[in-house]
């Protein structure tokens, strides 16, 4: 029975899938062109040791990222431990004590709480402890950036405006890359000396352009999400103006040294190949998300974005409405994972969260959310956040398994 329902959902979204195929082809062409122009070759895959002076693989990888994201410069490093680490590097790199950071998209992603330090018990070394101040401008109803309010909120000490492309784990639309254009223009014409940094996590290659092409001074993300293509084993990146990237590179290694040192004995093949695969992997993940949205719409459960909505990230939120459905859905996704399929997730008290959380992930690269994973807080309306999938076929099988497990538990 689920096979038929899945097939009919798949047929209903066929035109969306064709749009995704076209986009995958466009990004693949762009990446291929950069590899060819830069004559990427086996010698760029070799690992280096020690200082890594003259590490041609590292430098070429930076060059390819700059080409693909349309920027002057890039810093792509396995040493940047995660998306949060990349964001922290950028926030510290682009501000000095006395400067203010202003969020144009309301409250940022959870992990930035300790980095910025607004919580009750901020970790030592936060931005606030280091003399930066922080304010935020909420999004308008409907999730658009309130450009006039951001303009009005920028003060004499506001050196950095930050914005988050992805919905994160909120019931709000992700922001289309084009929407960063007017924000960047406003900042650069009315407030020269203030930069725009975009948290690009989960967004890469989902739309036709990137925020880095729309005037953002710096875009930041994780290599175990979209641009690593499921192959990069770890790392973070930033792309942007020469000056902004250099400041972050000075922060990563040392002032005056920047991107000129840094070795990686493991070599760079997985990073090049991962980027080459990324438009395809992202397409697989987005197709899985759209299929999930449509299946649950057919079951009269609300999804965000809806199956027909434009998308700017890989996250699919689904309002499951009951705790049993959320638990069984996540358990079903776990049961269908290639790794740790025998683990049965249960809701637990995760540090830093008020409600219990349930999480499902059985990934090759530990914690990689470009691979199929799912989680949700145990509170009404019991929203599941589903993201990733290395292959659409796996995404489809996992959805079927989750539906069966929900049905066996009497949840649907
Ligand atoms: C994942 C994510 C981060 C943090 O990245 P980690 O790699 O988990 O540290 C930050 N912002 C957004 C929007 C993300 O999706």
């Amino acid at each position: 029975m689920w096979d038929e329902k899945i097939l009919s959902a798949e047929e209903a979204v066929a035109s969306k899938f064709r749009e995704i195929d076209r986009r995958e082809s466009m990004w693949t062409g762009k990446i291929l062109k950069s590899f060819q122009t830069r004559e990427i070759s086996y010698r760029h895959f070799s690992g280096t040791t020690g200082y890594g002076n003259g590490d041609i693989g590292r430098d070429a990888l930076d060059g390819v990222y700059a080409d693909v994201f349309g920027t002057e410069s890039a810093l792509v490093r396995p040493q940047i431990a995660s998306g949060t680490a990349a964001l922290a590097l950028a926030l510290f790199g682009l501000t000095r004590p006395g400067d203010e950071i202003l969020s144009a998209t309301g409250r940022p992603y959870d992990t930035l709480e300790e980095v910025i330090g607004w919580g009750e018990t901020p970790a030592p070394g936060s931005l606030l402890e280091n003399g930066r101040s922080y304010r935020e401008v909420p999004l308008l109803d409907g999730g658009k950036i309130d450009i006039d309010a951001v303009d009005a909120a920028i003060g004499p000490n506001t050196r950095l405006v930050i914005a988050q492309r992805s919905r994160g784990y909120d019931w709000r639309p992700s922001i289309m890359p084009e929407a960063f254009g007017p924000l960047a223009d406003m900042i650069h014409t009315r407030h020269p000396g203030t930069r725009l940094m975009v948290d690009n996590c989960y967004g890469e290659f989902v739309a036709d352009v990137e925020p880095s092409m729309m005037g953002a001074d710096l875009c930041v993300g994780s290599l175990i999400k979209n641009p690593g293509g499921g192959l990069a084993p770890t790392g973070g990146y930033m792309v942007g103006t020469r000056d902004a990237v250099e400041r972050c590179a000075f922060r990563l290694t040392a002032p005056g040294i920047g991107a000129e040192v840094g070795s990686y004995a493991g070599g760079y093949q997985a990073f090049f190949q991962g980027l080459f695969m990324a438009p395809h992997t992202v397409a697989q993940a987005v197709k899985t998300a759209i299929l999930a949205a449509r299946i649950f719409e057919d079951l009269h459960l609300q999804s965000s974005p809806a199956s027909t909505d434009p998308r700017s990230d890989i996250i699919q939120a689904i309002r499951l409405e009951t705790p049993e459905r959320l638990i069984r859905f996540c358990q079903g996704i776990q049961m269908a994972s290639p790794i740790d399929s025998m683990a049965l997730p249960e809701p637990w008290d995760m540090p830093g969260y008020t409600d219990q959380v349930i999480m499902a992930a059985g990934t090759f690269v530990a914690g990689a959310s470009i691979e199929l994973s799912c989680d949700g807080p145990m509170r009404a309306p019991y929203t599941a956040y589903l993201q990733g999938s290395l292959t659409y076929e796996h995404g489809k099988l996992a959805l079927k398994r989750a539906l069966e497990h929900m049905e066996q538990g009497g949840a649907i």
Side-chain angles (χ1 to χ4, degrees), residues 107-338:
R107 187 51 50 106
Y109 196 75
D110 276 339
T111 57
L112 291 191
E113 171 169 342
E114 296 213 80
V115 175
I116 296 172
W118 69 71
E120 301 229 319
T121 47
S126 71
L127 283 150
L128 293 186
E129 191 193 87
N130 279 283
R132 278 74 158 182
S133 57
Y134 169 78
R135 278 189 304 145
E136 58 196 28
V137 174
L139 290 166
L140 292 166
D141 292 339
K144 295 236 174 340
I145 298 173
D146 190 344
I147 294 186
D148 292 337
V150 174
D151 183 17
I154 295 176
N157 298 326
T158 313
R159 287 280 82 79
L160 184 64
V161 174
I162 62 173
Q164 182 181 309
R165 173 177 179 175
S166 168
R167 58 181 310 131
Y169 297 103
D170 275 330
W171 193 268
R172 66 119 159 135
S174 51
I175 294 171
M176 296 307 290
E178 291 83 353
F180 295 106
L183 178 67
D185 290 346
M186 181 278 287
I187 293 168
H188 294 144
T189 52
R190 294 187 38 83
H191 309 279
T194 301
R195 291 195 184 87
L196 172 63
M197 181 200 94
V198 175
D199 175 353
N200 208 26
C201 285
Y202 279 142
E204 299 88 351
F205 315 132
V206 174
D208 288 334
V209 290
E210 286 291 318
S212 49
M213 299 163 179
M214 306 307 299
D217 298 272
L218 196 72
C219 290
V220 177
S222 162
L223 299 188
I224 62 166
K225 292 182 180 172
N226 307 15
L231 293 178
T234 185
Y237 79 91
M238 46 194 69
V239 290
T241 63
R242 187 160 290 115
D243 167 69
V245 172
E246 182 175 76
R247 281 180 167 273
C248 299
F250 283 178
R251 173 91 199 173
L252 177 66
T253 61
I257 295 176
E260 315 235 313
V261 305
S263 62
Y264 187 60
Y268 300 98
Q269 182 190 334
F271 301 91
F272 283 105
Q273 195 176 346
L275 179 67
F276 180 72
M277 291 298 296
H280 181 68
T281 312
V282 167
Q284 303 298 292
V286 175
K287 285 181 179 177
T288 300
I290 291 174
L291 181 69
R294 179 65 200 206
I295 289 171
F296 284 98
E297 284 161 8
D298 289 344
L299 295 171
H300 308 289
L301 291 167
Q302 214 190 331
S303 50
S304 170
S307 59
T308 52
D309 283 346
R311 284 168 192 257
S312 187
D313 69 14
I314 62 168
I315 301 181
Q316 181 62 54
I318 305 156
R319 278 192 181 163
L320 294 174
E321 306 290 352
T322 70
E324 295 74 31
R325 283 185 194 145
L326 178 56
I327 292 170
R328 289 238 154 207
F329 182 71
C330 290
Q331 288 178 339
I333 296 290
Q334 185 79 41
M335 288 168 173
S337 295

